Amino acid sequence: AARLPGNEAERFPYVAFNSWGFQWDIDEQTLRDGARRAADLGVELFVVDFGWAAVTGDWRPDPRKFPNGMKPLSDYVHSLGMKFGLHLPFAEAMADSQVLRQHPDWAVSANPNQQRGYFGAVGICLSHQPAQEWVISEILRVVRENGVDWLLQDGENMVKGCFSTRHTHHPDDSNYSNSVKGLNRVQAAVRRAMPGLMWENCADGGNMQTFRMLGHYVTSIVNDNAGFLITRQSIYGATYPFPPRYTDRYMEVTPWDNYRTRSHFFGGPLILMDRITEWPDWMLDFMKREIVLYKALRGHIARGKVYHISPRPDGTFNDSIQSHDEATGRSVILVYREETASDRETVYPRGLQPARNYRVRFQDNERTYAASGRSLMEEGVLVELPQQYFAEVVYIEPVS
């Protein structure tokens, strides 16, 4: 997996805020207000999403929204103790962007059956040598000028098919070229120049989930703000082939209850996307407590072994997932109740030592008891779920 700079591994996965809940309705003052609120909540990474640039492909701040540029906002975010991130679909450009006005031949020449657009933009061919060199220089410029710690890579079909006969790649080999000789070379060049820059793989909602991507990115999205149930389904599937760190989630839902918040707890960074400047006081207090809980769980989940102790969630039953830290012998199980009739669920943990004794406790229930690993795995743990849309955390800890 890609290494984190310095001692960042000690507090990774981050609690993050991403501005996409505001969509294009962003400006310097709105984001400053959001940054203050985010820092107060305990957020560690503040990301400005799509809409900061005046024109896709001309990666300069929109002067109407950011008359002072992005650097003052970046400095303000850093002054609040947070990392600063920026959304950059660097392989996309509008037809009227300066780069494509000057170099229209750099655009992808796509098969008519593969035409796909990104908010009105067209693709830039990453394996066409002059276009690739420009993309690398633009990424480095944007990062340096704006004080960027975290690059949110996005775009439509990042590995693009291109059948141009005028580019430096072979027209029949563009998929391989745009992957290995294109995107990979862009990333490698930027990493050499900026080894401390952290890359998040969004790639249009998680469409680049490959084993190779583990070496390029510090984390990867598994779905694009698709709701709490689909988020858990994505986590369930992605944690079979990939470490939990590579399952970050965009929590665009409003945090009305712990079912919604904790549905986004298992895996990589917890990324808030709702309009936090509009939350009432009770919601802010509630989310502060939930963030404290997430930070207490994240290291365990990131390094633990995942056990899928229930079937894939579909909303018709109470589902659960377990993380077991083999070094410490501790387990954490998250149990979810949606619109089901059952207010109790027996979960069957795995990975425990049969002859060892364990203490079982709960996040939202004062009940605690001790039992052997064999008893817990064979007879299960009874979890109380007193209301619909509720999530409980079960702790299983070895005792001497």
Side-chain angles (χ1 to χ4, degrees):
R3 291 187 177 182
L4 291 155
N7 61 355
E8 292 303 311
E10 296 178 5
R11 61 172 186 157
F12 196 82
Y14 295 137
V15 177
F17 172 79
N18 179 294
S19 68
W20 186 241
F22 293 92
Q23 298 204 0
W24 289 272
D25 189 21
I26 56 173
D27 54 33
E28 182 174 348
Q29 189 58 54
T30 299
L31 294 182
R32 280 178 172 266
D33 293 344
R36 285 196 301 273
R37 180 64 56 85
D40 186 54
L41 285 170
V43 168
E44 298 154 312
L45 166 67
F46 188 89
V47 180
V48 179
D49 207 291
F50 200 48
W52 64 270
V55 178
T56 301
D58 294 341
W59 300 116
R60 308 279 179 177
D62 188 329
R64 297 165 302 171
K65 299 177 180 180
F66 304 99
N68 302 307
M70 296 295 289
K71 189 59 164 59
L73 176 64
S74 171
D75 290 343
Y76 182 65
V77 167
H78 288 141
S79 75
L80 295 172
M82 297 182 290
K83 302 287 186 183
F84 182 71
L86 202 60
H87 178 273
L88 191 64
F90 51 76
E92 312 289 350
M94 303 295 287
D96 62 348
S97 63
Q98 182 177 354
V99 62
L100 287 187
R101 289 200 312 270
Q102 295 178 349
H103 306 282
D105 57 308
W106 289 4
V108 167
S109 179
N111 184 310
N113 297 324
Q114 294 178 327
Q115 292 286 354
R116 302 174 71 185
Y118 185 77
F119 297 101
V122 298
I124 293 177
C125 184
L126 291 180
S127 61
H128 182 43
Q129 194 63 36
Q132 179 184 124
E133 292 172 0
W134 177 85
V135 166
I136 292 169
S137 67
E138 278 297 278
I139 294 173
L140 295 176
R141 179 191 62 79
V142 168
V143 170
R144 286 171 178 148
E145 287 184 0
N146 299 291
V148 176
D149 308 297
W150 180 279
L151 183 71
L152 171 51
Q153 175 192 302
D154 200 359
E156 181 73 23
N157 191 22
M158 285 294 293
V159 179
K160 303 175 189 296
C162 178
F163 300 90
S164 173
T165 57
R166 296 177 297 168
H167 288 184
T168 57
H169 64 82
H170 194 283
D172 295 331
D173 196 28
S174 65
N175 189 275
Y176 175 83
S177 294
N178 271 304
S179 174
V180 176
K181 298 180 180 179
L183 180 59
N184 287 0
R185 286 187 179 177
V186 168
Q187 292 173 318
V190 174
R191 282 202 310 274
R192 283 194 300 270
M194 294 183 166
L197 179 66
M198 292 176 280
W199 288 60
E200 177 190 355
N201 174 31
C202 178
D204 198 30
N207 287 327
M208 286 178 56
Q209 293 284 98
T210 69
F211 291 118
R212 182 66 181 267
M213 64 104 181
L214 301 183
H216 292 279
Y217 306 95
V218 297
T219 190
S220 176
I221 192 67
V222 290
N223 68 65
D224 207 340
N225 54 52
F228 31 80
L229 177 58
I230 295 177
T231 291
R232 296 206 311 281
Q233 291 173 334
S234 300
I235 292 168
Y236 186 92
T239 48
Y240 275 105
F242 302 120
R245 169 178 148 187
Y246 288 88
T247 56
D248 74 18
R249 287 87 53 221
Y250 296 152
M251 195 183 94
E252 194 169 359
V253 298
T254 303
W256 295 106
D257 51 50
N258 67 23
Y259 171 82
R260 288 165 173 80
T261 57
R262 296 174 191 179
S263 287
H264 296 81
F265 268 21
F266 201 96
L270 170 64
I271 304 173
L272 312 180
M273 264 193 177
D274 196 30
R275 294 181 174 230
I276 58 174
T277 56
E278 300 173 6
W279 289 356
D281 289 344
W282 74 264
M283 190 174 289
L284 291 169
D285 292 339
F286 167 69
M287 198 63 216
K288 284 181 186 179
R289 295 193 298 271
E290 289 295 281
I291 286 175
V292 168
L293 174 59
Y294 170 78
K295 289 179 178 179
L297 296 174
R298 62 183 174 185
H300 176 108
I301 293 173
R303 66 175 177 266
K305 181 176 181 178
V306 179
Y307 286 105
H308 301 84
I309 57 176
S310 79
R312 180 177 181 268
D314 65 6
T316 66
F317 59 88
N318 300 328
D319 59 277
S320 54
I321 190 167
Q322 175 188 359
S323 176
H324 180 69
D325 187 335
E326 295 182 330
T328 64
R330 296 173 61 242
S331 274
V332 171
I333 302 174
L334 280 82
V335 189
Y336 303 95
R337 177 187 177 190
E338 198 169 323
E339 293 183 289
T340 61
S342 176
D343 60 2
R344 293 185 173 190
E345 188 65 37
T346 300
V347 297
Y348 296 88
R350 294 161 57 187
L352 308 180
Q353 296 181 25
R356 193 169 190 177
N357 288 326
Y358 293 85
R359 182 168 300 281
V360 179
R361 59 186 179 89
F362 306 86
Q363 182 66 31
D364 294 304
N365 189 305
E366 295 182 355
R367 184 166 56 102
T368 181
Y369 67 96
S372 69
R374 177 177 288 105
S375 172
L376 294 174
M377 290 189 290
E378 293 179 356
E379 300 175 17
V381 176
L382 181 65
V383 183
E384 297 180 9
L385 305 166
Q387 62 202 44
Q388 293 183 343
Y389 293 103
F390 185 85
E392 179 64 281
V393 182
V394 183
Y395 302 91
I396 303 175
E397 301 157 335
V399 294
S400 57

